[in-house]
Amino acid sequence: MLSEHYTLAAAIGFLLTILSFLIVSKSQQKIVYHRLSSWTSFKRPTSSSITPPRSVSPDKKAPVNAPPPADYKDIFPPWRRESLSIARGDKCLDAGSEIPESLVSERLIPFTADYRICKSPASTYTPMGISLAEVASLGDFTDYAELSGVPLPEPYQDFKIETALPRPYRPLRWGYHQTMSLNRLQTDWWLEVEKSYAERIKERKELFDKNGSMVLDYLPGSELGCKEVMEMALQFLCARYPQYFSLSNSEDQGYVFHNGILHNQTIIRDMHPLHVLLENVPEDFAVMIRNPDDGYYYFRAGIMCSSLGWTVASKLGMQLKEIHSPIPDYKEKMEFSMDRYFSKLPTARPIQRGSWGLEVDTPLFMPPGDPHEKYREAQFPETELPLSRIHLRVDWQTLRRLPLSGAIIFNFKALFTPVEDFR
């Protein structure tokens, strides 16, 4: 009988506890629940380990975590049509008016077409939603700063070519992780000139004379992108270093680039845009064009005098993922992110990144099979390979979208610092 009274009392106590629990606030409920849980002897202990449980056997590889291939055919980069009217005013047909994406998608310029000779230019569009008639109305050396949203650089008034040194790029980190490593571009430093300018231009021209299409080539459909990056590069040099570079325009010659360091001039219309860059800009450029058939980006033109283990000829025409296929973990960790980033990169947000390594001497261009590769295949005693020959090589890269063609431009420059210079 006594045990029945105890059982009844326990039951009543439990019911009162439940009723109290239901009428208190949520925060008070959590406190009560926590205390009840701590009293319960059969509660499963919580692990403090942050290591997830093993889901695969040790002799099997973990599954690839990269998302499946995405469909970018109907994804366009951010447009800046509103800048057309400011760039050239009344000369732009329907400047700034809204164009439906569905219309642009139906009437995109074909992948291999030359924008200058396309039929129906008023109704044929670039991926930036700009018609070829609007492109033509802008003319040469238009206001790319307005079109892109990236201002021209401030003039470097105190710059002297005789004593100028390159900035000491140091993209070093203690821990190694394969990532995109992107930072916003310091736009005043997109292109850089220093005291080795004339020597570098000479070296690059000699590399082209010797190697031809291994360092410079272009495919059909890249005409507008090549023109844009050349004109933007020359505008940049004239704005940044006005004491050394300038542009003039006349009826008989058209636009002429005047180079006060090399003491020569380049008639723009007389040569391909990439050759204009070869003659005047000691940096590399790769032109990536959007393919309307799949929305992915392909390497369609470039000048590359500082590549290691590859050439323009070996990569031209490839999709982004094909170019980077030799990179460890690219497919698993970076392919999806890179493709998505390319599809959405705005013109107003150029970025920069750097990669580095140790190099014997200062080889600028090293194609596959180059004799210099022997230094990568073995270790050498200091009697054969003194420390004085070892350099830190930094490949500084920028990435930006062009405002008319929608092409994405990789820009590279190689910088060498003797290891003995470091403390």
Side-chain angles (χ1 to χ4, degrees), residues 248 253 256-259 262-268 271 280:
S248 64
Q253 290 185 314
V256 177
F257 181 69
H258 303 272
N259 191 319
L262 301 179
H263 306 290
N264 61 19
Q265 61 184 29
T266 303
I267 301 175
I268 303 300
M271 61 179 65
N280 295 283

Side-chain angles (χ1 to χ4, degrees), residues 62 86 116 138 268 289:
I86 303 175
R116 298 168 296 185
L138 290 167
I268 303 300
I289 305 291

Side-chain angles (χ1 to χ4, degrees), residues 170-186:
R170 299 288 183 263
L172 310 177
R173 295 183 300 177
W174 290 112
Y176 176 79
H177 301 284
Q178 184 68 288
T179 66
M180 293 167 65
S181 303
L182 306 180
N183 298 289
R184 190 158 189 171
L185 175 65
Q186 296 172 283

Side-chain angles (χ1 to χ4, degrees), residues 30-48:
K30 291 180 180 179
I31 295 172
V32 173
Y33 177 75
H34 176 73
R35 289 177 178 175
L36 285 172
S37 299
S38 64
W39 295 338
T40 307
S41 60
F42 53 80
K43 178 177 179 290
R44 182 177 179 179
T46 301
S47 171
S48 62

Side-chain angles (χ1 to χ4, degrees), residues 360 373-386:
V360 178
E373 285 187 341
K374 68 180 182 180
Y375 293 111
R376 298 167 177 258
E377 299 171 354
Q379 292 186 344
F380 295 84
E382 189 173 356
T383 54
E384 297 181 28
L385 188 60

Side-chain angles (χ1 to χ4, degrees), residues 39 46 55 62 156 180 191-192 199 204 209 212 216 264 354 397:
W39 295 338
T46 301
S55 58
Y156 197 166
M180 293 167 65
L191 306 175
E192 189 173 3
E199 178 185 347
R204 292 165 64 84
D209 291 340
L216 189 156
N264 61 19
Q397 306 160 13

Side-chain angles (χ1 to χ4, degrees), residues 306-324:
S306 60
S307 58
L308 297 176
W310 63 279
T311 67
V312 170
S314 68
K315 301 287 188 180
L316 196 64
M318 287 187 178
Q319 188 180 324
L320 187 65
K321 66 178 181 181
E322 297 171 324
I323 294 172
H324 293 95

Side-chain angles (χ1 to χ4, degrees), residues 157-171:
Q157 299 289 4
D158 298 330
F159 178 81
K160 296 184 182 301
I161 189 64
E162 297 81 8
T163 57
L165 297 173
R167 290 192 300 164
Y169 297 91
R170 299 288 183 263

